[in-house]
Each structure stands twice: as C-alpha cells, then as structure tokens.
Amino acid sequence: MPFIIAGNFKMNGVLAGVQPYAEALKAAESKAKLIICPPFPLLPAFAAALPATTALGAQDCHARPSGAHTGDVSATLLREIGATHVILGHSERRADHGETNADVSAKVFAALAAGLIPIVCVGETEPQRDAGEAEDIVKTQLRHSLPENFTGLIAYEPIWAIGTGRTPTPADIAAMHAAIRAALTDSFPATGPATPILYGGSVKPENAAAILALPQVGGALVGGASLKAADFLAIAAAAPAV
Ligand code: PGA
C-alpha cells in the first residue's frame, strides 16, 4: 500500500490559489497517495482542477444525511461534489465545537454510509502525555469514536504537536502507532491489521523522512506545511518507496 500524505488546509486557502496548487501537483510525480482537504467552498474547484491521482477530502460532515442543521454539510453532498475522504474528529473540531467521541462515531457512520473514507483523528494533550496517560486516552478515543463497521484511516495527532513546531520523539511516535495498531487489530480483526495510521502534528519537509520511516506509520496528515504545494510535495517525496 502506498504511503498516504493528506493535506489539511483548515480555514486557509482562497479560490485564486486552487489552480496554481493543482498545477504544481500535476507537474510533480508522487509515489505517495495524495489527499487534499480544503475548506468546503473550495471543494468543487479542487475537484475540477486536481490531477486524477490526487484524492479530495473534506474536513468535517454532519451525522445526518439532510435536515434542519444550519451551517452543516452532509456526507452525501460531499460525495456528490467529488470528495472521497473526510477528516473527522480533528482536535480543533473537538475543542472548538465540543465534538465528543460519540459525535465523531456518528459522523464516521454517516461518512461510510455515503461512500466516503473517513480519516479519524485521535491524540492526547500535553498534560495527559506528561501524566503518562497518552496511550490510554488514545485507546479510549478509538474505542468510542469508531463505529462497529469502521473502515478507513486513523490519524494520530498529539494536540500539543499541532501547529507548534514540536513533535514527539521517534520512540514515542512508534510506541503510540504500535498501540493504535494493537487496538485496531483487537477491535476490527478483518481490517485493523491493514488500516493506515497517519502521523500528524508539525510534519514538515525537514522531519518527514524520519517520521515516515517509523514502524506502523503509514503516512502523514499535514496542516501548515500543506498550504504551499512545494512543501507538501517535498513531504510526499520523503515517503519511503513501497
Ligand atoms: P500542523 O497540523 O501540521 O500544522 O501541525 C496538523 C493537523 O492539525 O492536522
């Protein structure tokens, strides 16, 4: 399976940036699988402009297929306009919008029902890591954020590493990814052993090769460094050949 490099634009990007970004991706050859996750309004423009080999993802969806939910977007509509993936349970949504594990699980269920591939985010805070609770916190998030029929991708994103320039040690990343693999294999014997586990949190061109070479790391979820196509492509180029 190729490495997966997903770009989470968060609330960044403008319409004028879509074409140049897509052209840069078209001009490069990537052995990794690329996924671009821009803000909702840019999805149709990216769907039209991206090379066919690059996948398109949203950053959230609602748990219901339609209805009176002002400001929300359904997984069905995302699928219809060309998204294939959706980031769910990102720590910024858990913090800014009070999303619980149960909310995330319901969204994952809706995404799967609509034919989207969920990228489910988990990760501990710094006090939780300092207290030695990181693995337990992440295992609890996994247990309650994934519905019984889960398939898709997991992104391990320590909250204190997001946007800070700080990353866990290679040993800590490897240990957490091994713990996530064990938990997935336990809960989902058929798919858990092969579920890609991405690392996210201050991934940049300078540290990507070291992180992507760690055992059980199947790719990266990249925030800030995905905003420039050149940096995003440099991260993708650091992925080991498979
Ligand atoms: P960052 O964000 O790469 O800017 O740290 C990662 C993420 O939040 O997905």
Side-chain angles (χ1 to χ4, degrees), residues 56-58 60-62 73-88 107-119 151-152:
L56 185 65
D60 180 45
C61 71
H62 197 270
V73 177
S74 75
T76 332
L77 181 58
L78 293 173
R79 187 76 196 90
E80 190 185 339
I81 63 162
T84 51
H85 292 69
V86 59
I87 298 170
L88 293 171
K107 290 179 176 204
V108 173
F109 191 85
L112 290 169
L116 290 174
I117 300 168
I119 305 171
T151 60

Side-chain angles (χ1 to χ4, degrees), residues 124 129 156 158 160-161 166-173 199-201 211:
E124 81 285 356
R129 173 154 290 274
Y156 167 55
W160 52 273
R166 298 163 57 211
T167 56
T169 64
D172 284 344
I173 295 176
Y199 169 80
I211 291 172

Side-chain angles (χ1 to χ4, degrees), residues 119-221:
I119 305 171
V120 183
C121 302
V122 292
E124 81 285 356
T125 63
E126 188 155 40
Q128 287 166 341
R129 173 154 290 274
D130 290 345
E133 295 166 356
E135 281 189 20
D136 282 347
I137 292 288
V138 165
K139 280 192 216 154
T140 301
Q141 288 174 336
L142 288 171
R143 193 161 42 236
H144 298 292
S145 301
L146 303 179
E148 275 177 19
N149 64 342
F150 171 72
T151 60
L153 319 178
I154 300 295
Y156 167 55
E157 300 205 304
I159 295 169
W160 52 273
I162 294 175
T164 60
R166 298 163 57 211
T167 56
T169 64
D172 284 344
I173 295 176
M176 184 62 85
H177 279 241
I180 293 172
R181 172 71 63 218
L184 290 173
T185 300
D186 195 42
S187 299
F188 307 99
T191 55
T195 296
I197 307 169
L198 316 184
Y199 169 80
S202 295
V203 177
K204 39 190 187 244
E206 300 78 50
N207 62 17
I211 291 172
L212 292 169
L214 293 169
Q216 305 298 347
V217 173
L221 180 55

Side-chain angles (χ1 to χ4, degrees), residues 62 66-70:
H62 197 270
S66 64
H69 303 290
T70 303

Side-chain angles (χ1 to χ4, degrees), residues 22 25-26 33-36 46 50-56 84 232:
L25 295 194
K26 274 185 193 150
K33 169 87 182 160
L34 305 183
I35 309 170
I36 300 295
F46 267 109
L50 284 175
T53 48
T54 302
L56 185 65
T84 51
F232 187 61

